[in-house]
Each structure stands twice: as structure tokens, then as C-alpha cells.
Amino acid sequence: MNTGIVSVEIVPRFINAERIKVLREGQDAERGDLIVYVMYASHRVSHNYALEYAIHEANLHRRPVIVVFPLIEKKPFPNLRRFSFMLENLIKMRRALAERGVRMFVCKNYGFLSLLGEASLVVVDRPYLSHQRRFIDTIVENAESKVVMVEGDVVVPIEAASQRPEHFARTIRPKILGKLKRFLEELPAIPPKVPSLSIDLPSWDADTVEEYVKGLEIDHTVRPVGYFVGGEDEASRRLDTFVNERLDLYARNRSDPGAEVCSELSPYLRWGMTSPVQILRVVLMKRSLEDVNVQSFINELVVWRELARNAAVYNPYFGTYDGLPGWARGTLEAHSSDRREHTYTIQELERGETHDEYWNAAQRELLTTGKIHNYMRMYWCKKIIEWTEHPQMAFECAVYLNDKYGLDGVDPNSYLGISWCFGAFDKPFFESKVYGKVRRMTQEALRRRPGIKRYLHKYSN
Ligand SMILES: Cc1cc2nc3c(=O)[nH]c(=O)nc-3n(C[C@H](O)[C@H](O)[C@H](O)COP(=O)(O)OP(=O)(O)OC[C@H]3O[C@@H](n4cnc5c(N)ncnc54)[C@H](O)[C@@H]3O)c2cc1C
């Protein structure tokens, strides 16, 4: 399998060696005046492995480091909601980097490529989805120096956890948990020896989100939501609330749609505004690894989240209908001509106009907050299978709605969650109408869930 990795780097002691891979060897270590970090996956200034690695290298070679931030207009679902969240954070990050003496270079799309020629070292962080990996490939193709990738958005780096596709949480779990402690290293914030603030660069430095979005070709019809505000500070605030007020109820109540016990960190994790290692370190400052709530949280934050990244790396069709296991596609297709009691167009679903008040509430949560509660998300996606004419159409519809409106959408978790609803990472169940052997979820079961009335009340029109 071609991972694009050339070799493993000799690394500073504060970063575990398995986080660092050389994507391109450099010919001449003395060429170039800058160390360039292209920030793509880890949108944060604190606890950012790639940034600290870049500063460490810059200090070693007495060079300044600059952080490049490309605003990619062609991302899947480049809309006002998703961009506003990202830009709120970007504006804060530019200030935070300046306080550390580091210059940020903001540009549209690939406007930074010419800068790569001035670099003695290019550092990138690690995204997992295929279109994101192509972006990193473009950097490697255009670089003239060494390119190093630093993997800081998982606890256990993907290849260190497993070198093959894992089809179930139960198979990857022991591999991840066995290495967990090794990868909870503390990451110091290193002061740069050569400041880069005075370097003159044609950076696009707007002070407000409005100024930025005026100049971007994005879909302005999907409005921002006030429920989540972009920023590392916001992520820390939510983490504090989670650890101090919610964690002790997590194991028992995380699947109760009416209980507010989850961290609601998914949008921040999605954009790299917080680090899973740091989240876990903060949790472990308060509670032990043996605590049942901590174990349940690790199961989501680390096991399931990193299973999604394993699938993104090892399954070339991940995120598409063709990426589902053969048995799941087979059974769903064998039942594709089963009579559907209700069918809806994508527009009716988008507006939350179905006969099912629970489903409409979940869709309303997505439209108004930018995410859906974990348990409701499963119900929401399963019902789309029931209400569309073909499972492939249902899969594409779920991806479309999830990614267009979810602030945490376009993430490996998005496609793991949706694929799970279509049978992946799960086992075959008793045969039923429409779903075949894929596990189904019924409204009757949902009605029995504690807190469902509260949820309904919260998200009814
Ligand atoms: C159909 C469907 C679509 C989904 N789409 C997304 C999505 O677009 N983005 C997204 O981040 N998650 C998605 N999930 C997974 C899960 O629902 C969310 O991660 C979770 O609800 C986020 O809420 P939280 O941050 O309060 O989670 P918490 O319970 O506080 O968990 C902490 C973190 O662990 C990770 N996590 C939690 N549950 C899961 C899970 N089941 N699988 C993988 N990682 C998990 C998330 O990063 C989450 O922020 C989807 C699930 C389903 C069934």
C-alpha cells in the first residue's frame, strides 16, 4: 500500500517519533530562508504538534517560521455556516500566533505555493479524507525542500495503531488502548528564537468574518448558527463544562437525547480547534483511567473516532455507498423493491417535513445548531433508508444533509456514522422489511427512551 511516506523522522524528544513522517526528502539542507508550516487540519495554536515541531526545527537552524493558512473555496460544502465557524477561529489564531512572534500568511486556495520555493523545510499536519490527502500531495509535488508530516489530531497515530483496515471497534480497541499512555505526551509551547512578524508577506489579514466572506466564492444561503462559536477558547470552555458538570453522568446518560451530558466538542475536533490528546489529559487530571465514565468517553473520543480514521486511510471507497461491506449492500439491495410506506424528496427531508415528529426534531437540531445528538443521529440516518427508493440514494442523501448543515460534517466520523447505519462496523441482524439484515431502529423504541419528550420539546417548531 502506498501511504506517501518516505521515511520516519528523527524527532525532538517531546514528540513521539511515530507522529512524524517524511513525505519528501530535501536535497540541500542550507537552501531556503524559512520554515513553512501549512496549517490544514489542526486549526489551533496551543497543543499543535506540527506547529511546535516547525518552531523546534526553526530554532535548530536559526530560521523564522511562518504559518500558512489557505482558505479553500472548493472544499465540499463551502458555505457561510462552515466558513464563519472556521474564520471566527482564524482571526483569533492570527492574534495568538502574533503574540508568540509568528507570522501567519492567509491566502485563497493555492496562493501559497510560490512560498514553498523559499522554504528550507515544509511542515504539514495530517488530514485523512481522500480529497484532503490530495491537497497534501499537491504540497509535496510543489515543494523543493524536505516535507514533514506531523500527526497530532489522533491520540494513537494510524499506522502505530494498526497497519490494516479494521472492520469493528472490538478489533481496533485493544490495539489502541494498549498504546494509549505512550501517546499522551505533554507538548510544550516553544518560544521561537527568530521572530517572523516583520517578514513582509501579501497575507489577506481581515479583522472580521464579514470582511473575509465578502471576498470568498462560497454558498451564502446556509446561515451561520449562534450555538457554536469558532475558537480554541470556546473549545476549552466546553471542555471545562464537560469535565466539571457532565462527565460523571456520561456513561449512564450519553445515549439519552434529553440529557445534556455529552461534550459537544465534535465541531471543534472536526476543525482541529482542540487536540484529542489534550482533551484526554485534562479529563485524566480530574478522573482516573479506571473510572467508568472516562472509559466510556475514551471509547468514543479515541476508539470510534480513530476507527473512522483507520477506515479513511485503508478503505479507498470510504465515505461512499461502494465502501460498505458486500453483505450490507447485498441485503439492502435485495430489499430495495420492498414497499416503502412513506417516501420523501431530499428537499422535504431538508426542510424537516416528514410525518415523523422525532425525525423532524433531529433535522431541526441540525439546521439550528449545526449538529445532532448522537442517539438521534442514528435514528435520523436509519429512517432515511426507509423513506428513499434505493439505499444508494439514501446514503447520498444522508451525506448531503450531514455535511451541508453539520459544523462537524465532512469528517471521517461523518462517514463512519453514516456507514454504520447502513451495516458497516456492525453485525447482520434478523431480516426485516426494507433494511434486510441491517439493524433497524423503530419509533416505538425511540419513544421509550428517557428524555425523548424533553428533546422533542426543545426542537419542535
Ligand atoms: C449518521 C451519523 C452521522 C454522524 N456524523 C458525524 C459527523 O459529521 N461528525 C462527527 O464528529 N461525528 C459524527 N457522528 C458521530 C457522533 O454522533 C458524534 O461524534 C457525536 O454525537 C458528537 O457529539 P459530542 O461531541 O457531544 O460527542 P461526545 O459523546 O462528547 O464524544 C466526544 C468526541 O468523540 C467522538 N465521537 C463520539 N461519538 C462518536 C462516534 N460514534 N463515532 C466516531 N467518533 C465519535 C467525537 O469526535 C466527539 O466529539 C455521526 C454519527 C451518526 C450515527
Side-chain angles (χ1 to χ4, degrees):
M1 189 199 53
N2 181 9
T3 58
I5 295 161
V6 178
S7 66
V8 173
E9 176 71 321
I10 299 175
V11 290
R13 275 185 30 232
F14 58 88
I15 302 182
N16 197 304
E18 285 160 278
R19 293 195 188 280
I20 305 191
K21 315 254 170 28
V22 179
L23 301 183
R24 183 185 189 277
E25 295 288 0
Q27 307 302 329
D28 172 9
E30 291 310 308
R31 65 174 306 288
D33 296 327
L34 299 170
I35 306 283
V36 173
Y37 163 35
V38 183
M39 184 185 275
Y40 184 64
S42 315
H43 295 190
R44 60 181 182 272
V45 176
S46 56
H47 306 107
N48 181 329
Y49 289 81
L51 174 64
E52 300 308 336
Y53 176 84
I55 296 176
H56 171 86
E57 288 297 307
N59 286 352
L60 215 60
H61 300 284
R62 294 262 159 203
R63 284 185 166 89
V65 61
I66 61 161
V67 175
V68 165
F69 193 97
L71 293 166
I72 313 284
E73 293 163 302
K74 298 260 168 338
K75 279 181 178 180
F77 299 101
N79 60 43
L80 191 57
R81 172 179 295 192
R82 294 166 59 78
F83 262 74
S84 297
F85 184 72
M86 180 181 75
L87 292 166
E88 281 159 2
N89 179 51
L90 166 64
I91 292 166
K92 294 178 197 171
M93 272 200 304
R94 222 182 47 230
R95 285 191 210 119
L97 278 171
E99 277 165 24
R100 289 183 68 178
V102 176
R103 180 85 166 100
M104 197 175 213
F105 175 73
V106 183
C107 64
K108 277 207 222 177
N109 303 312
Y110 291 93
F112 66 92
L113 287 181
S114 57
L115 253 184
L116 299 184
E118 292 175 42
S120 59
L121 170 69
V122 175
V123 179
V124 293
D125 39 40
R126 184 172 189 181
Y128 299 98
L129 296 173
S130 53
H131 73 275
Q132 301 169 332
R133 296 204 308 255
R134 284 196 294 279
F135 178 83
I136 301 294
D137 289 345
T138 306
I139 294 176
V140 174
E141 282 153 24
N142 283 273
E144 292 170 31
S145 65
K146 184 171 173 177
V147 181
V148 174
M149 180 172 76
V150 186
E151 186 171 11
D153 290 321
V154 286
V155 178
V156 182
I158 297 307
E159 289 80 14
S162 172
Q163 306 216 332
R164 63 181 191 81
E166 299 288 344
H167 301 296
F168 301 98
R170 72 178 146 76
T171 64
I172 202 169
R173 186 176 291 113
K175 297 181 184 176
I176 287 180
L177 296 183
K179 298 189 176 101
L180 201 65
K181 284 188 185 159
R182 178 139 66 87
F183 290 100
L184 290 178
E185 68 266 45
E186 187 177 0
L187 188 65
I190 306 170
K193 287 188 180 148
V194 186
S196 56
L197 284 180
S198 58
I199 298 177
D200 192 21
L201 293 167
S203 175
W204 183 15
D205 293 343
D207 286 323
T208 62
V209 169
E210 291 69 32
E211 272 178 76
Y212 272 123
V213 295
K214 257 191 254 158
L216 288 165
E217 278 181 47
I218 55 173
D219 172 5
H220 286 244
T221 62
V222 186
R223 307 300 301 168
V225 284
Y227 191 77
F228 290 106
V229 177
E232 292 174 62
D233 53 343
E234 292 287 329
S236 310
R237 197 178 53 73
R238 282 189 186 265
L239 178 58
D240 279 352
T241 306
F242 175 66
V243 173
N244 295 319
E245 296 168 24
R246 300 181 169 198
L247 178 60
D248 289 341
L249 297 168
Y250 187 79
R252 180 156 21 125
N253 292 342
R254 65 167 285 275
S255 295
D256 174 353
E260 286 165 358
V261 303
C262 293
S263 69
E264 298 193 299
L265 282 168
S266 58
Y268 301 94
L269 282 157
R270 153 63 183 87
W271 296 91
M273 294 180 199
T274 184
S275 139
V277 176
Q278 185 55 18
I279 292 174
L280 207 46
R281 286 178 59 87
V282 170
V283 165
L284 292 173
M285 277 174 213
K286 286 267 178 180
R287 296 283 180 275
S288 82
L289 209 48
E290 284 69 43
D291 183 305
V292 63
N293 293 300
V294 172
Q295 292 194 354
S296 174
F297 187 60
I298 289 176
N299 195 42
E300 306 304 328
L301 175 74
V302 191
V303 177
W304 280 95
R305 186 171 177 275
E306 294 182 13
L307 175 64
R309 277 131 189 92
N310 170 284
V313 169
Y314 293 117
N315 177 351
Y317 301 104
F318 182 63
T320 68
Y321 181 70
D322 290 339
L324 295 174
W327 74 263
R329 263 180 296 138
T331 190
L332 287 166
E333 275 166 30
H335 285 266
S336 60
S337 53
D338 290 2
R339 200 177 79 80
R340 270 85 172 136
E341 282 176 24
H342 304 272
T343 53
Y344 295 103
T345 62
I346 199 162
Q347 291 77 16
E348 287 167 325
L349 292 171
E350 197 159 9
R351 292 192 298 266
E353 290 173 357
T354 76
H355 69 285
D356 180 334
E357 56 182 346
Y358 300 98
W359 195 92
N360 296 346
Q363 177 65 13
R364 193 165 165 73
E365 186 188 2
L366 180 62
L367 295 179
T368 57
T369 70
K371 75 178 272 293
I372 312 181
H373 182 275
N374 175 47
Y375 190 84
M376 293 308 293
R377 223 161 186 167
M378 297 189 271
Y379 181 78
W380 172 88
C381 185
K382 291 272 184 190
K383 287 291 161 186
I384 298 177
I385 303 178
E386 217 171 295
W387 299 338
T388 32
E389 276 157 21
H390 189 275
Q392 176 154 8
M393 205 194 268
F395 192 98
E396 286 162 9
C397 175
V399 169
Y400 172 82
L401 295 176
N402 189 81
D403 285 357
K404 180 173 175 183
Y405 294 103
L407 283 173
D408 57 5
V410 194
D411 183 273
N413 287 359
S414 319
Y415 313 124
L416 175 121
I418 292 167
S419 303
W420 180 87
C421 292
F422 285 73
F425 311 101
D426 202 6
K427 59 182 183 197
F429 272 70
F430 299 112
E431 192 111 11
S432 69
K433 227 176 79 180
V434 180
Y435 292 95
K437 290 185 175 154
V438 168
R439 184 202 295 253
R440 67 189 191 122
M441 281 173 84
T442 62
Q443 199 187 82
E444 295 70 52
L446 183 68
R447 274 202 236 111
R448 288 196 295 272
R449 296 223 60 95
I452 189 64
K453 280 203 181 123
R454 203 163 158 239
Y455 180 83
L456 200 57
H457 180 70
K458 202 165 161 192
Y459 294 111
S460 293
N461 282 321

